[in-house]
Amino acid sequence: MKRQVDSLWLPYAQMKTVAPPYRVVRAEGVKLYLDDGTVVIDGISSWWCVIHGYNHPVLNNAVHEQLTKFAHVMLGGLVNDPAINLAETLVRITPKGLNHVFFGDSGSVGVEIALKMAIQFWRNQGIYQKSRFVSLRLGYHGDTTGAMSVSDDDEGMHRLFKGTILPQYFVDAPGGNNIDSEECQVSLCQLEELLKSNNTEIAAVILEPVFQGAGGFRFYPPEYLFHVRRLCDEYGVLLIFDEVATGFGRTGALFAADLANVTPDIMVLSKALTGGYFGLSATIATSRVYESFLGDDPELAFMHGPTFMGNAVACAVALASINLIETENYLSKIKIIEQILKQEIQGLEGASLCDARVLGAIGVLEFESPSNLVGFREFALSRGVWLRPYSKWLYTMPPYVISEEDLRRVTGVMKEWVLHQGHK
Ligand SMILES: *Cc1c(COP(=O)(O)O)cnc(C)c1O
């Protein structure tokens, strides 16, 4: 049964006209059970985080086990084993050189921590002008003010706030099939020009490696990252990878950075970190960044500490999630998902469809305009599939445990919609 509950203010929604949300009463594997008896396959992993599906026995068990001890202790002056073990595990699995983990509670907060860390890295060396950032057009880094400032301010969902948040620098987004593409070359030229003229005031470049999520659902060649790394080193600017969406296998490698063999100075992880169980982020720094905060002067310390950082239950479930990824060979599951997505939707053509692209466990249909997706939600629901198109993009980012049959049901609905558009 649909319900309108306006005491509950919904995200990204005009509450006056928003379609009533559906009520989930149970979730299991890749399926959501609604209160009217409808069962749907979740094709977007609850905003890309529920990578092992819902109600997973191993993850449930990790939560229960930690709860028999305690749920949470502050990280100020106290530590807990799950937080220590998770930090060590993240250092082990992330690109070589990232050695120090600072926990936060969401992707946006993880990005704020990275930005603040980058500015203080320079201040701790007596360099006060380096406090601005460069990011990519069509990027998205979160909804808090610092994260908004580095998200695309013209195209993105935060354009309303232009003028009220810190102005940053942007370069055109890279794209195309290889580094010689015009989009990559233009983007790198702009970046070099910008760094050449303004490096004295730029603290870092921040970008989503290889896959730009909510700002454009687009891919670009991994080699681009290698050149950005080179330019950052040449002009003395830090490099931050926001792997909140790409981390933990989404692009086909465990981290998108692995596709290019590039180590950023700071990496941010969140969404899939706990397998979708709890909000948790990890901002991970190289020793060079970390060491700039060491010294006898207390002012050099990083003055940051979210109340719930290092929450023991969240860290315990994150450890169990990473263990599943490693022991159950998730990268091969993701390969199979990629093959099926390629077979089913890559290169698809149809009325109003501009592009159909696939990378890892991400499949995107880009339409001419958001109006091409009006009515899609009910169309998909009645066919047993939950997808939530955003703007002009209809995409799937399924849980990695999805069966081939269920995945083909998801892509089937996407393809049927393309045909349906043709018949209008
Ligand atoms: C979702 C997302 C964020 C923000 O994460 P929240 O947990 O929603 O605050 C930041 N960066 C990227 C790339 C994201 O996809």
Side-chain angles (χ1 to χ4, degrees):
M1 192 55 64
K2 294 179 196 171
R3 304 209 312 184
Q4 183 62 57
V5 268
D6 65 7
S7 49
L8 181 62
W9 198 338
L10 299 169
Y12 309 116
Q14 171 46 260
M15 292 300 289
K16 187 173 173 187
T17 52
V18 66
Y22 295 86
R23 199 151 67 101
V24 176
V25 290
R26 192 160 79 79
E28 182 89 43
V30 301
K31 304 226 166 90
L32 301 172
Y33 297 77
L34 308 183
D35 67 345
D36 65 357
T38 308
V39 184
V40 290
I41 300 165
D42 178 0
I44 58 163
S45 313
S46 273
W47 273 333
W48 331 342
C49 63
V50 183
I51 56 175
H52 309 285
Y54 296 94
N55 214 351
H56 194 289
V58 172
L59 301 185
N60 288 0
N61 191 45
V63 172
H64 289 148
E65 208 173 288
Q66 181 55 40
L67 279 179
T68 63
K69 298 170 192 151
F70 57 88
H72 180 69
V73 294
M74 67 196 283
L75 215 56
L78 303 173
V79 287
N80 64 79
D81 284 344
I84 297 170
N85 294 338
L86 180 58
E88 286 176 352
T89 301
L90 291 172
V91 166
R92 174 172 61 79
I93 65 175
T94 50
K96 195 167 170 339
L98 292 167
N99 294 330
H100 307 277
V101 180
F102 200 97
F103 288 118
D105 12 45
S106 68
S108 300
V109 169
V111 167
E112 297 292 335
I113 290 169
L115 300 177
K116 192 167 159 184
M117 198 180 267
I119 292 174
Q120 195 174 339
F121 168 82
W122 296 111
R123 297 202 162 204
N124 280 354
Q125 301 170 64
I127 300 166
Y128 286 83
Q129 308 93 297
K130 285 171 88 74
S131 60
R132 294 180 71 187
F133 296 92
V134 182
S135 59
L136 302 181
R137 290 257 165 239
L138 307 177
Y140 174 80
H141 296 284
D143 292 348
T144 53
T145 52
M148 277 161 69
S149 79
V150 289
S151 302
D152 192 322
D153 57 349
D154 284 333
E155 293 288 327
M157 59 181 91
H158 298 133
R159 57 186 173 273
L160 183 68
F161 292 89
K162 201 168 178 169
T164 74
I165 48 179
L166 287 171
Q168 310 288 12
Y169 293 108
F170 292 90
V171 297
D172 285 352
N177 293 325
N178 61 59
I179 193 66
D180 299 322
S181 71
E182 190 176 332
E183 283 160 299
C184 282
Q185 292 303 315
V186 166
S187 180
L188 287 170
C189 274
Q190 291 179 357
L191 181 62
E192 177 146 28
E193 280 307 307
L194 199 54
L195 293 181
K196 199 183 275 177
S197 342
N198 300 292
N199 67 76
T200 54
E201 53 173 289
I202 293 169
V205 172
I206 177 168
L207 52 77
E208 297 157 276
V210 182
F211 167 61
Q212 294 187 287
F217 293 93
R218 54 202 300 288
F219 311 123
Y220 62 83
E223 300 91 301
Y224 176 83
L225 301 173
F226 172 83
H227 293 281
V228 174
R229 175 77 273 181
R230 179 175 56 73
L231 291 173
C232 285
D233 291 342
E234 193 174 331
Y235 291 101
V237 162
L238 294 180
L239 177 56
I240 302 169
F241 282 179
D242 177 353
E243 292 231 22
V244 170
T246 51
F248 303 102
R250 193 50 76 179
T251 63
L254 192 54
F255 300 101
D258 299 338
L259 292 169
N261 232 329
V262 166
T263 301
D265 299 287
I266 302 171
M267 175 187 266
V268 187
L269 300 173
S270 186
K271 288 198 167 86
L273 175 58
T274 65
Y277 270 56
F278 300 101
L280 181 70
S281 68
T283 302
I284 315 177
T286 58
S287 298
R288 173 173 169 242
V289 170
Y290 176 76
E291 280 160 16
S292 76
F293 290 80
L294 305 182
D296 297 325
D297 180 355
E299 292 275 298
L300 293 175
F302 192 39
M303 297 308 284
H304 204 95
T307 305
F308 288 104
M309 75 181 287
N311 176 271
V313 183
C315 291
V317 75
L319 279 165
S321 167
I322 293 168
N323 193 46
L324 278 176
I325 292 172
E326 292 189 315
T327 56
E328 300 198 356
N329 202 0
Y330 268 55
L331 292 184
S332 67
K333 290 188 208 293
I334 294 162
K335 259 268 139 345
I336 293 167
I337 291 173
E338 181 174 44
Q339 280 161 6
I340 296 169
L341 290 176
K342 283 187 168 164
Q343 275 170 16
E344 296 293 333
I345 61 173
Q346 181 156 285
L348 202 64
E349 289 175 9
S352 324
L353 185 63
C354 301
D355 191 31
R357 49 187 181 260
V358 171
L359 180 72
I362 309 165
V364 183
L365 301 183
E366 180 171 323
F367 288 87
E368 280 164 9
S369 100
S371 66
N372 299 126
L373 287 159
V374 172
F376 176 80
R377 195 178 73 157
E378 287 64 35
F379 179 90
L381 249 306
S382 68
R383 288 159 177 77
V385 169
W386 171 246
L387 289 171
R388 191 177 196 270
Y390 170 65
S391 183
K392 60 187 180 182
W393 300 287
L394 171 59
Y395 68 94
T396 178
M397 289 168 70
Y400 303 150
V401 296
I402 195 166
S403 69
E404 180 169 341
E405 187 192 341
D406 284 346
L407 183 56
R408 287 192 202 275
R409 274 183 70 192
V410 172
T411 53
V413 168
M414 294 168 79
K415 291 201 294 195
E416 204 186 326
W417 181 257
V418 173
L419 285 177
H420 178 79
Q421 288 298 295
H423 294 151
K424 270 192 185 163

